Amino acid sequence: MSSPFRRYGLGARWYDVLSGERAVYRAGRVAGIADMHLSDGDVVIDLGCGTGLNFPLLHDAVGASGAVIGIDLSTDMLDVARRRVRRHGWANVRLIAADASRLDASSLGSALGDGGADALITTYALSVMREGASAAFAGATGLLRPGATVCVVDMQPPTGRWRLFSPLARLACALGGADIAARPWRLLEAVAVPGSVRRQELRGGHIVAVTGSLPGSA
Ligand SMILES: C[S@@+](CC[C@H](N)C(=O)[O-])C[C@H]1O[C@@H](n2cnc3c(N)ncnc32)[C@H](O)[C@@H]1O
């Protein structure tokens, strides 16, 4: 199996077309971001942002006074994201090349400002990070303010009568280097305030979007 770095290097420029975005995966980002209830002026981190497919929705949600910070390991994916940012003329989207499993406040330089970000989203990325996912999630939540909103959108095998499509879903995940059994939203469920966690399942249960709040300050 090739490393994420190689897979999302050579394939970066075809990612938006070949990743099943329109037919399948866009639904997860739309549902997840809507459920975050972001406000004008919020600062949101997009962990493993790839080519920036979340950016239009995030930018709309936080407005010109907010900010989007996209973090990814692959400079090729970030190049595509950068072109998207330029095309739209977004002055408040920052891109950072970093290994998510080694994040700390210094990784973001001046992008974060005081007090930490208001929100974090990660879509279809933690399942690709595999054994680095826990460290990445811990590092990224460490960049947030108390009470911040977190959303994890990722994949599992389809459920119920949609199990018929499991081989297809497994193939799509294998091609993207994702571990379909990872269920990385459990990282959020483990730290979110009990009662704040909301879960949506889409596309026959293949896509799971979990949103929750971190504990506030004591
Ligand atoms: C399937 S793509 C998802 C991209 C984007 N979030 C989306 O929804 O389209 C997975 C992304 O995770 C990135 N990635 C994998 N391992 C990483 C790591 N350790 N640190 C940062 N990014 C990583 C890859 O470069 C790739 O862009």
Side-chain angles (χ1 to χ4, degrees), residues 106-214:
S106 67
S107 323
L108 268 60
S110 61
L112 199 54
D114 291 336
D118 301 293
L120 165 72
I121 184 164
T122 178
T123 57
Y124 314 115
L126 291 174
S127 58
V128 172
M129 294 180 199
R130 294 177 173 248
E131 54 286 343
S134 311
F137 187 78
T141 50
L143 302 171
L144 304 178
R145 65 165 171 76
T149 302
V150 180
C151 177
V152 176
V153 178
D154 225 301
M155 300 162 285
Q156 66 177 6
T159 54
R161 63 195 169 98
W162 299 104
R163 271 181 304 184
L164 206 64
F165 291 99
S166 269
L168 204 58
R170 286 181 194 281
L171 178 66
C173 288
L175 289 174
D179 174 7
I180 198 170
R183 294 180 166 81
W185 47 86
R186 289 183 300 190
L187 295 166
L188 170 57
E189 289 166 345
V191 298
V193 175
S196 75
V197 177
R198 298 177 297 278
R199 177 188 177 105
Q200 304 177 75
E201 295 200 2
L202 304 113
R203 296 292 187 264
H206 175 47
I207 299 173
V208 177
V210 174
T211 310
S213 307
L214 296 184

Side-chain angles (χ1 to χ4, degrees), residues 4-5 7-9 15-16 19 21 25 29 46-54 71-75 77-78 96-103 121-130 132-133 136 153 155 176-178:
F5 186 74
R7 190 184 305 271
Y8 292 104
Y15 177 83
D16 292 3
S19 61
E21 171 67 9
Y25 296 106
R29 59 183 96 254
D46 185 349
L47 187 69
C49 65
T51 61
L53 287 170
N54 291 329
I71 302 172
D72 204 283
L73 179 64
S74 161
T75 50
M77 293 293 266
L78 288 176
I96 292 171
D99 181 346
S101 60
R102 292 157 193 257
L103 282 181
I121 184 164
T122 178
T123 57
Y124 314 115
L126 291 174
S127 58
V128 172
M129 294 180 199
R130 294 177 173 248
V153 178
M155 300 162 285

